[in-house]
Amino acid sequence: MDPNMKLLPSQGEPFKGPRRYCRLVGKLNYLTVTRPDITFAVSQFVKESCDNQWNVVIRILQYLKNAPSRKLICGDKGNAKNVYYSDANWAGSPSNRGSTSGYCVLTGGNLTSWRSKKQKTIAISSVEAKCHAMAAIASKVTWLGKFSNN
């Protein structure tokens, strides 16, 4: 399977074992609590159960098998400042040319919050897509700021 291949909804033949597919995706979804690196990939295939999506789920399992040491580890890094990152891909969805934005928040060097989500609007430029991503992190920063002044 080509790692750069973009899948469309319901692309391919229906998978013959939809219950098996749902159980496996459910387990992967639970695993995303400690493995944010697979969150977006898993969330793309919760609703679908075609052969191509099954192949992607198997590829995620292979990635997890080959990278067992990647996990969230929290420790005292000696500082308490927050660092924020955001980014977006412009027109990355093959079905509607929608963009995906994401952000992460590090508190004291530890990953405390993250999100990746398809944007609700279609951006007409990469700058607009990145502005949507910055707006998402700005909203998170504002929300976190309410708790840091106590």
Side-chain angles (χ1 to χ4, degrees), residues 102-119:
Y103 67 78
C104 67
V105 179
L106 292 101
T107 304
N110 296 304
L111 184 64
T112 55
S113 180
W114 65 90
R115 184 174 193 182
S116 71
K117 184 178 179 182
K118 286 186 180 177
Q119 295 178 358

Side-chain angles (χ1 to χ4, degrees), residues 79-85 104-113 137 140-149:
N79 66 4
K81 71 178 188 176
N82 291 332
V83 179
Y84 310 95
Y85 297 99
C104 67
V105 179
L106 292 101
T107 304
N110 296 304
L111 184 64
T112 55
S113 180
I137 191 69
K140 186 68 169 183
V141 168
T142 304
W143 185 80
L144 287 173
K146 291 180 182 179
F147 300 105
S148 65
N149 293 333

Side-chain angles (χ1 to χ4, degrees), residues 36-81:
D37 51 332
I38 65 168
T39 302
F40 186 75
V42 171
S43 70
Q44 298 301 299
F45 304 105
V46 173
K47 298 176 187 171
E48 302 297 328
S49 62
C50 296
D51 284 340
N52 290 339
Q53 278 79 6
W54 176 257
N55 292 338
V56 172
V57 169
I58 296 301
R59 189 174 175 89
I60 293 169
L61 288 174
Q62 290 170 341
Y63 166 78
L64 290 170
K65 180 181 176 186
N66 293 328
S69 63
R70 293 190 181 195
K71 55 190 166 204
L72 289 179
I73 299 175
C74 294
D76 185 8
K77 306 277 196 292
N79 66 4
K81 71 178 188 176

